[in-house]
Amino acid sequence: MMAQIIETATEPLARVAVDPVTLDIVENALRNARHEMDEVLFRTALSPGIREQHDEFPLIGDPSGRMVVGQFGLSIPALLDRYDGTIEEGDVLLTSDPYSCDGAISHANDWLVVMPIYVDGRVVGWASMFGHMSDVGGKTACSMPTDARTIFEEGVVIPPVKLYAKGVLNEDVLRVILNQVRQPDWNRADLNGIVAACRTASRRIQELCARFGAETYTSALEALLKRNYDAMKVLLTTLFEDGETLTFSDYICDDGRGNGPYKLVLSLTRTGEKVLLDFTGSAPQAEGPINYYINENLARMFFGIYLITVADPQILWNDGFYPLVDVHIPEGSFWKPRYPAALNGRNHGIGRIFDLFGGLLGQKTPDLLNAAGFSSSPHFMYAGDGFQLYSIGFGGIPGRPIGDGPDGHSLWPSFTNIPCEFLESYYPLRIERWETVADTGGAGLHRGGNGVDVAYRFLEPGTIAIHDDRWLTYPWGVNGGEPGARGRKWIERAGGGTEILPSKVHDVEVRPGDVLHFVTWGGGGWGDPLARDPGLVGLEVRRGLVTAEGARRYGVVCAEDGAVDEAATAALRERLRSGRGELPVFDMGPPLDEILARCEEETGLPAPTPPVRV
């Protein structure tokens, strides 16, 4: 099965030399076109998840579908390999089925549009974008049931279809799709915005071809891809010893059905110029919906982000280095579940892979070693009569070699917060509190970022849903830094009493006056806390980022106003140094068996049950 690309021009484009100035112009034009795609969508979408928080990911590819510029490797080749049909000028493909595109998207809420870019009868590239639809039907509002066992419970699943055929909208297909969702106007507007964004990219590429010629344009793409290949080849042989294997592991706390934690393992071995990324040893696929169906190209992309952008942040990273990276993902594992496993909570796996790469690569390259941070994009959903909210929470970014982790920040650099004014204007709720939680960032020479406490007061009856993690295991610290604090969720009922909520739950009824506290976790610390400037610790006490009691983790004695007692601080630090051994490279917190034994006492929630193969 493979797409048949229809082209009226059959002669292949010649490869020509591209001078550095032209290459630079093309590179920056592509970068601008990618950002223009974003702006087109933001100005036309209706759902706050896309319009305000920017939960969408664009891509511009070369004639074979390889990403040349984008925020997320959507793996156009994977979709084309699975699509059994023709593709002609004016066609627009749409899908939301991860299993039909080899994981190019990872759950049914993501609607993926792929469009060929034609110039003079031949394909010179591809434009693609997906966005998270707030609702796609299914058993619960926002379509993300935390107890789902199959994808059939998660709403409408769209196989790869032609939304447009030769420029003509397939209205019957769209009508059937929109009939399955709770907010069809939102979905229609968001989808139209995604298509418009891809058409914008198509026009910009056609303009580049008109300016420089299609041969020069496609040759420039080859040069940009080759540049990443060459950069990665040098990095791999510089950073990793031939024949050596590095391994790192971390956890997803639970699957929403009481099973967990799920161990995630990643190994790297270099052989000659190439490396193998191996996910063997990871937990089996989950019974609940936390599985992350990652395809091999996405694993390569995440790997490249960590290496290429660190070595040269200005480079336009792309898919060019993929031939240097082999990937093995076992079937039936957390990373490649068997159809029809549920997938809606895959956001935790997407985030945790960044922690895995950080821990893996940092073992040999201290300059790359970050602590564990806010490695998820936790969801909060609130729905009732005539309204529906999907939003993404922020937390603590890890301490890093270059400095502290930001407080209350997103995992994804492009995500922005939904303003309180927007929420209070369009939804029946009030934001009682939106503040960082002192001491939730791990102590270190460079402090981990603090988590946040967002307190939602509900004004109308409805139901809420939560997708979060790191309520059981800790965001680890590095190079002597301490772990960050775990996340917590609870409701203060208007009638009295407090209800502790799991990190993954849906269809929780709320009444007017109830207040939800959505507390996210902090980032791990980096480096020896006793080496942190006491004056800086005192300043953070004054600012409410660290408490006077929490300052003692840094060996700092200070008053509530942040005034540092220098003599007492020196004595405390001397005592703490003399009573400790060698600082660990990784501080994961207490052993897992101890965490599980104390789970209910510390969290108010029962310990999860070890997962079994399903």
Side-chain angles (χ1 to χ4, degrees):
M1 182 187 301
M2 181 178 294
Q4 180 183 359
I5 312 298
I6 305 299
E7 298 176 290
T8 56
T10 57
E11 288 294 320
L13 289 169
R15 184 75 61 83
V16 299
V18 182
D19 64 84
V21 174
T22 300
L23 185 63
D24 190 58
I25 293 172
V26 171
E27 177 181 18
N28 283 283
L30 288 169
R31 183 182 282 114
N32 290 337
R34 168 254 188 271
H35 288 297
E36 190 177 359
M37 293 174 73
D38 291 334
E39 291 302 322
V40 167
L41 178 57
F42 301 157
R43 293 168 186 264
T44 54
L46 287 183
S47 69
I50 292 179
R51 172 178 157 181
E52 300 294 327
Q53 295 210 275
H54 305 168
D55 191 355
E56 52 75 37
F57 298 88
L59 179 151
I60 299 173
D62 78 341
S64 66
R66 293 178 297 173
M67 182 183 72
V68 181
V69 61
Q71 188 182 351
F72 212 97
L74 307 178
S75 191
I76 292 174
L79 174 62
L80 299 180
D81 286 346
R82 295 294 190 97
Y83 179 66
D84 186 15
T86 60
I87 295 178
E88 303 179 67
E89 188 167 2
D91 288 355
V92 177
L93 298 181
L94 169 67
T95 186
S96 70
D97 183 4
Y99 293 105
S100 292
C101 59
D102 198 23
I105 50 175
S106 51
H107 69 166
N109 287 78
D110 289 335
W111 285 13
L112 169 63
V113 165
V114 174
M115 176 188 303
I117 302 173
Y118 278 81
V119 171
D120 296 331
R122 61 165 53 87
V123 173
V124 297
W126 297 82
S128 181
M129 175 182 273
F130 74 81
H132 179 106
M133 299 293 153
S134 292
D135 185 277
V136 294
K139 62 188 275 187
T140 187
C142 296
S143 314
M144 301 180 70
T146 55
D147 64 352
R149 300 181 63 177
T150 71
I151 198 170
F152 305 122
E153 302 170 74
E154 299 175 341
V156 61
V157 181
I158 309 166
V161 295
K162 286 187 181 181
L163 180 64
Y164 286 82
K166 298 182 180 179
V168 178
L169 173 65
N170 190 333
E171 299 204 23
D172 287 339
V173 165
L174 185 58
R175 188 178 301 113
V176 170
I177 293 169
L178 295 180
N179 194 55
Q180 315 302 314
V181 307
R182 293 175 176 84
Q183 297 275 13
D185 289 345
W186 281 15
N187 292 61
R188 182 188 295 272
D190 292 359
L191 179 59
N192 285 343
I194 292 173
V195 173
C198 290
R199 285 179 171 157
T200 299
S202 178
R203 286 196 298 272
R204 298 296 173 258
I205 302 313
Q206 289 165 348
E207 290 167 0
L208 282 172
C209 289
R211 178 179 179 183
F212 296 108
E215 294 88 354
T216 298
Y217 172 73
T218 55
S219 296
L221 301 188
E222 287 293 334
L224 293 172
L225 291 162
K226 179 67 162 51
R227 185 174 66 184
N228 273 237
Y229 179 92
D230 292 340
M232 179 64 79
K233 185 163 62 173
V234 172
L235 287 170
L236 295 182
T237 55
T238 301
L239 298 175
F240 307 112
E241 296 180 20
D242 196 4
E244 182 183 27
T245 297
L246 302 174
T247 301
F248 193 75
S249 60
D250 205 340
Y251 293 90
I252 300 290
C253 294
D254 73 299
D255 70 345
R257 295 185 58 88
N259 306 303
Y262 284 80
K263 186 176 184 179
L264 307 179
V265 179
L266 179 60
S267 299
L268 179 149
T269 304
R270 180 171 79 85
T271 304
E273 293 183 342
K274 301 180 68 173
V275 298
L276 169 66
L277 301 177
D278 191 351
F279 291 84
T280 299
S282 296
Q285 72 183 65
E287 179 185 20
I290 62 166
N291 301 291
Y292 179 28
Y293 183 18
I294 184 174
N295 71 51
E296 286 75 5
N297 277 348
L298 281 174
R300 294 181 176 101
M301 182 206 68
F302 291 136
F303 180 67
I305 289 174
Y306 258 91
L307 289 189
I308 292 177
T309 57
V310 169
D312 185 354
Q314 297 304 313
I315 198 169
L316 190 68
W317 60 269
N318 55 46
D319 289 1
F321 66 88
Y322 284 9
L324 293 169
V325 183
D326 293 328
V327 180
H328 175 66
I329 307 173
E331 294 280 347
S333 69
F334 173 93
W335 304 104
K336 188 171 282 190
R338 294 186 175 90
Y339 178 84
L343 303 173
N344 74 77
R346 89 290 179 246
N347 50 302
H348 313 302
I350 293 176
R352 201 69 82 249
I353 198 169
F354 285 97
D355 284 345
L356 286 172
F357 273 121
L360 183 78
L361 303 179
Q363 295 177 46
K364 299 291 287 186
T365 53
D367 288 344
L368 297 178
L369 181 56
N370 296 325
F374 195 57
S375 50
S376 184
S377 50
H379 306 328
F380 164 65
M381 291 152 275
Y382 172 40
D385 186 12
F387 64 88
Q388 184 183 79
L389 170 65
Y390 157 81
S391 65
I392 298 170
F394 293 178
I397 301 303
R400 302 160 292 168
I402 62 172
D404 295 346
D407 305 298
H409 207 279
S410 171
L411 165 69
W412 301 104
S414 65
F415 280 8
T416 59
N417 187 39
I418 301 179
C420 296
E421 295 82 0
F422 181 97
L423 291 172
E424 294 182 345
S425 297
Y426 288 93
Y427 294 95
L429 55 75
R430 292 291 179 267
I431 306 300
E432 298 284 317
R433 177 184 301 170
W434 195 304
E435 61 187 24
T436 61
V437 183
D439 297 335
T440 51
L445 170 64
H446 298 153
R447 178 176 61 82
N450 284 332
V452 297
D453 179 2
V454 183
Y456 300 92
R457 182 177 296 276
F458 304 108
L459 305 182
E460 294 289 342
T463 60
I464 64 170
I466 294 170
H467 281 249
D468 203 359
D469 203 62
R470 284 294 197 207
W471 66 275
L472 180 70
T473 61
Y474 289 83
W476 32 270
V478 298
N479 296 335
E482 297 180 0
R486 300 179 290 193
R488 300 174 291 139
K489 312 289 181 290
W490 72 91
I491 296 177
E492 296 173 356
R493 294 294 184 182
T498 298
E499 180 181 347
I500 298 174
L501 297 179
S503 70
K504 302 171 184 67
V505 66
H506 71 270
D507 286 349
V508 176
E509 293 189 4
V510 292
R511 308 293 300 176
D514 290 347
V515 177
L516 168 69
H517 286 265
F518 195 104
V519 179
T520 58
W521 72 86
W526 188 97
D528 184 0
L530 302 185
R532 190 170 178 84
D533 178 10
L536 178 56
V537 176
L539 176 63
E540 293 190 321
V541 170
R542 288 198 297 277
R543 290 176 172 175
L545 300 173
V546 176
T547 65
E549 179 62 29
R552 301 182 71 88
R553 295 189 301 165
Y554 302 87
V556 174
V557 180
C558 65
E560 295 294 338
D561 64 357
V564 175
D565 185 328
E566 295 184 6
T569 293
L572 177 59
R573 286 188 161 183
E574 179 61 30
R575 186 166 70 253
L576 292 174
R577 286 192 183 96
S578 64
R580 70 184 186 186
E582 184 178 351
L583 294 178
V585 177
F586 295 98
D587 185 348
M588 302 294 212
L592 184 59
D593 56 354
E594 186 177 323
I595 290 175
L596 292 169
R598 302 198 325 232
C599 177
E600 191 153 8
E601 174 189 349
E602 293 181 348
T603 69
L605 300 169
T609 301
V612 297
R613 189 167 297 278
V614 295

